[in-house]
mmCIF file of all heavy atoms in Angstrom:
data_model
loop_
_atom_site.group_PDB
_atom_site.id
_atom_site.type_symbol
_atom_site.label_atom_id
_atom_site.label_comp_id
_atom_site.label_asym_id
_atom_site.label_seq_id
_atom_site.Cartn_x
_atom_site.Cartn_y
_atom_site.Cartn_z
ATOM 1 N N GLU A 13 -83.557 191.770 160.041
ATOM 2 C CA GLU A 13 -82.634 192.626 159.311
ATOM 3 C C GLU A 13 -83.266 193.980 159.046
ATOM 4 O O GLU A 13 -82.658 195.019 159.269
ATOM 5 C CB GLU A 13 -82.265 191.938 157.990
ATOM 6 C CG GLU A 13 -81.462 192.820 157.049
ATOM 7 C CD GLU A 13 -81.503 192.278 155.642
ATOM 8 O OE1 GLU A 13 -82.092 191.212 155.427
ATOM 9 O OE2 GLU A 13 -80.963 192.948 154.756
ATOM 10 N N ALA A 22 -83.838 205.457 157.963
ATOM 11 C CA ALA A 22 -84.606 206.683 158.161
ATOM 12 C C ALA A 22 -83.690 207.901 158.155
ATOM 13 O O ALA A 22 -84.017 208.951 157.624
ATOM 14 C CB ALA A 22 -85.377 206.618 159.479
ATOM 15 N N VAL A 49 -86.488 209.769 143.538
ATOM 16 C CA VAL A 49 -86.972 208.452 143.959
ATOM 17 C C VAL A 49 -85.914 207.394 143.674
ATOM 18 O O VAL A 49 -85.643 206.514 144.506
ATOM 19 C CB VAL A 49 -88.292 208.102 143.233
ATOM 20 C CG1 VAL A 49 -88.704 206.671 143.558
ATOM 21 C CG2 VAL A 49 -89.385 209.075 143.621
ATOM 22 N N LEU A 56 -81.389 203.341 149.940
ATOM 23 C CA LEU A 56 -82.056 202.349 150.782
ATOM 24 C C LEU A 56 -81.424 200.979 150.577
ATOM 25 O O LEU A 56 -81.142 200.262 151.550
ATOM 26 C CB LEU A 56 -83.549 202.294 150.441
ATOM 27 C CG LEU A 56 -84.369 201.192 151.122
ATOM 28 C CD1 LEU A 56 -84.321 201.362 152.640
ATOM 29 C CD2 LEU A 56 -85.810 201.208 150.627
ATOM 30 N N GLU A 58 -78.425 200.345 149.570
ATOM 31 C CA GLU A 58 -77.078 200.370 150.139
ATOM 32 C C GLU A 58 -77.109 200.169 151.650
ATOM 33 O O GLU A 58 -76.269 199.451 152.210
ATOM 34 C CB GLU A 58 -76.391 201.697 149.800
ATOM 35 C CG GLU A 58 -76.026 201.848 148.330
ATOM 36 C CD GLU A 58 -75.499 203.234 147.990
ATOM 37 O OE1 GLU A 58 -75.607 204.138 148.862
ATOM 38 O OE2 GLU A 58 -74.985 203.424 146.874
ATOM 39 N N ARG A 64 -76.936 193.754 156.081
ATOM 40 C CA ARG A 64 -76.762 192.315 155.839
ATOM 41 C C ARG A 64 -75.318 191.899 156.094
ATOM 42 O O ARG A 64 -75.052 190.868 156.715
ATOM 43 C CB ARG A 64 -77.172 191.957 154.403
ATOM 44 C CG ARG A 64 -78.673 191.998 154.148
ATOM 45 C CD ARG A 64 -79.025 191.307 152.839
ATOM 46 N NE ARG A 64 -78.413 191.956 151.691
ATOM 47 C CZ ARG A 64 -78.986 192.923 150.984
ATOM 48 N NH1 ARG A 64 -80.194 193.363 151.333
ATOM 49 N NH2 ARG A 64 -78.380 193.437 149.929
ATOM 50 N N ALA A 79 -68.890 182.130 171.249
ATOM 51 C CA ALA A 79 -69.741 182.917 172.143
ATOM 52 C C ALA A 79 -71.223 182.706 171.852
ATOM 53 O O ALA A 79 -71.611 182.416 170.713
ATOM 54 C CB ALA A 79 -69.408 184.404 172.000
ATOM 55 N N SER A 83 -75.372 187.318 173.464
ATOM 56 C CA SER A 83 -74.398 187.938 174.374
ATOM 57 C C SER A 83 -73.332 188.676 173.593
ATOM 58 O O SER A 83 -72.911 189.779 173.973
ATOM 59 C CB SER A 83 -73.746 186.871 175.265
ATOM 60 O OG SER A 83 -74.678 186.313 176.156
ATOM 61 N N ALA A 94 -67.737 202.407 172.568
ATOM 62 C CA ALA A 94 -66.497 202.917 173.162
ATOM 63 C C ALA A 94 -65.403 203.063 172.108
ATOM 64 O O ALA A 94 -64.237 203.299 172.446
ATOM 65 C CB ALA A 94 -66.030 201.987 174.277
ATOM 66 N N GLY A 95 -65.773 202.909 170.838
ATOM 67 C CA GLY A 95 -64.808 203.091 169.757
ATOM 68 C C GLY A 95 -63.975 201.868 169.439
ATOM 69 O O GLY A 95 -62.914 201.973 168.812
ATOM 70 N N THR A 102 -63.154 190.716 168.715
ATOM 71 C CA THR A 102 -62.995 189.293 168.406
ATOM 72 C C THR A 102 -61.576 188.826 168.700
ATOM 73 O O THR A 102 -61.371 187.777 169.338
ATOM 74 C CB THR A 102 -63.323 189.026 166.925
ATOM 75 O OG1 THR A 102 -64.644 189.487 166.643
ATOM 76 C CG2 THR A 102 -63.231 187.536 166.605
ATOM 77 N N GLY A 120 -47.371 180.708 180.533
ATOM 78 C CA GLY A 120 -47.849 181.998 180.044
ATOM 79 C C GLY A 120 -47.632 183.110 181.055
ATOM 80 O O GLY A 120 -47.776 182.910 182.267
ATOM 81 N N LEU A 129 -55.428 189.218 190.197
ATOM 82 C CA LEU A 129 -56.809 189.696 190.098
ATOM 83 C C LEU A 129 -57.766 188.842 190.931
ATOM 84 O O LEU A 129 -58.946 189.185 191.055
ATOM 85 C CB LEU A 129 -57.262 189.686 188.630
ATOM 86 C CG LEU A 129 -56.606 190.733 187.721
ATOM 87 C CD1 LEU A 129 -56.996 190.477 186.263
ATOM 88 C CD2 LEU A 129 -57.024 192.146 188.134
ATOM 89 N N LEU A 131 -58.745 185.781 190.279
ATOM 90 C CA LEU A 131 -59.639 184.993 189.430
ATOM 91 C C LEU A 131 -59.353 183.502 189.566
ATOM 92 O O LEU A 131 -58.203 183.063 189.586
ATOM 93 C CB LEU A 131 -59.474 185.417 187.971
ATOM 94 C CG LEU A 131 -60.010 186.810 187.632
ATOM 95 C CD1 LEU A 131 -59.481 187.275 186.279
ATOM 96 C CD2 LEU A 131 -61.535 186.791 187.644
ATOM 97 N N ASP A 132 -60.396 182.706 189.673
ATOM 98 C CA ASP A 132 -60.299 181.251 189.737
ATOM 99 C C ASP A 132 -60.204 180.734 188.304
ATOM 100 O O ASP A 132 -61.186 180.746 187.560
ATOM 101 C CB ASP A 132 -61.535 180.676 190.432
ATOM 102 C CG ASP A 132 -61.445 179.171 190.653
ATOM 103 O OD1 ASP A 132 -60.942 178.465 189.755
ATOM 104 O OD2 ASP A 132 -61.917 178.696 191.704
ATOM 105 N N SER A 137 -62.187 179.199 183.048
ATOM 106 C CA SER A 137 -62.022 178.435 181.812
ATOM 107 C C SER A 137 -63.314 177.762 181.362
ATOM 108 O O SER A 137 -63.459 177.398 180.188
ATOM 109 C CB SER A 137 -60.931 177.372 181.989
ATOM 110 O OG SER A 137 -61.341 176.393 182.928
ATOM 111 N N ALA A 147 -66.145 188.652 183.368
ATOM 112 C CA ALA A 147 -65.551 188.304 184.664
ATOM 113 C C ALA A 147 -64.166 188.925 184.797
ATOM 114 O O ALA A 147 -63.794 189.441 185.870
ATOM 115 C CB ALA A 147 -65.471 186.785 184.807
ATOM 116 N N GLN A 149 -63.104 191.611 183.149
ATOM 117 C CA GLN A 149 -63.283 193.064 183.221
ATOM 118 C C GLN A 149 -63.715 193.510 184.619
ATOM 119 O O GLN A 149 -63.277 194.553 185.106
ATOM 120 C CB GLN A 149 -64.317 193.521 182.181
ATOM 121 C CG GLN A 149 -63.861 193.379 180.732
ATOM 122 C CD GLN A 149 -62.665 194.261 180.422
ATOM 123 O OE1 GLN A 149 -61.520 193.871 180.641
ATOM 124 N NE2 GLN A 149 -62.911 195.450 179.918
ATOM 125 N N GLU A 150 -64.575 192.751 185.245
ATOM 126 C CA GLU A 150 -65.013 193.091 186.608
ATOM 127 C C GLU A 150 -63.836 193.064 187.569
ATOM 128 O O GLU A 150 -63.722 193.927 188.458
ATOM 129 C CB GLU A 150 -66.100 192.116 187.068
ATOM 130 C CG GLU A 150 -67.455 192.344 186.431
ATOM 131 C CD GLU A 150 -68.521 191.422 186.977
ATOM 132 O OE1 GLU A 150 -68.232 190.221 187.145
ATOM 133 O OE2 GLU A 150 -69.652 191.880 187.232
ATOM 134 N N LEU A 155 -59.281 197.209 190.438
ATOM 135 C CA LEU A 155 -57.947 197.770 190.711
ATOM 136 C C LEU A 155 -58.072 199.263 191.004
ATOM 137 O O LEU A 155 -58.896 199.951 190.392
ATOM 138 C CB LEU A 155 -57.018 197.524 189.515
ATOM 139 C CG LEU A 155 -56.716 196.044 189.218
ATOM 140 C CD1 LEU A 155 -55.909 195.909 187.930
ATOM 141 C CD2 LEU A 155 -55.973 195.404 190.386
ATOM 142 N N THR A 171 -51.224 194.469 173.677
ATOM 143 C CA THR A 171 -51.199 195.908 173.421
ATOM 144 C C THR A 171 -52.377 196.352 172.562
ATOM 145 O O THR A 171 -52.974 197.410 172.788
ATOM 146 C CB THR A 171 -49.879 196.307 172.722
ATOM 147 O OG1 THR A 171 -48.777 195.877 173.531
ATOM 148 C CG2 THR A 171 -49.806 197.808 172.536
#
Side-chain angles (χ1 to χ4, degrees):
E13 172 198 357
V49 174
L56 173 61
E58 290 173 350
R64 288 194 298 269
S83 293
T102 303
L129 290 172
L131 290 165
D132 185 321
S137 66
Q149 292 296 86
E150 286 184 317
L155 296 174
T171 304

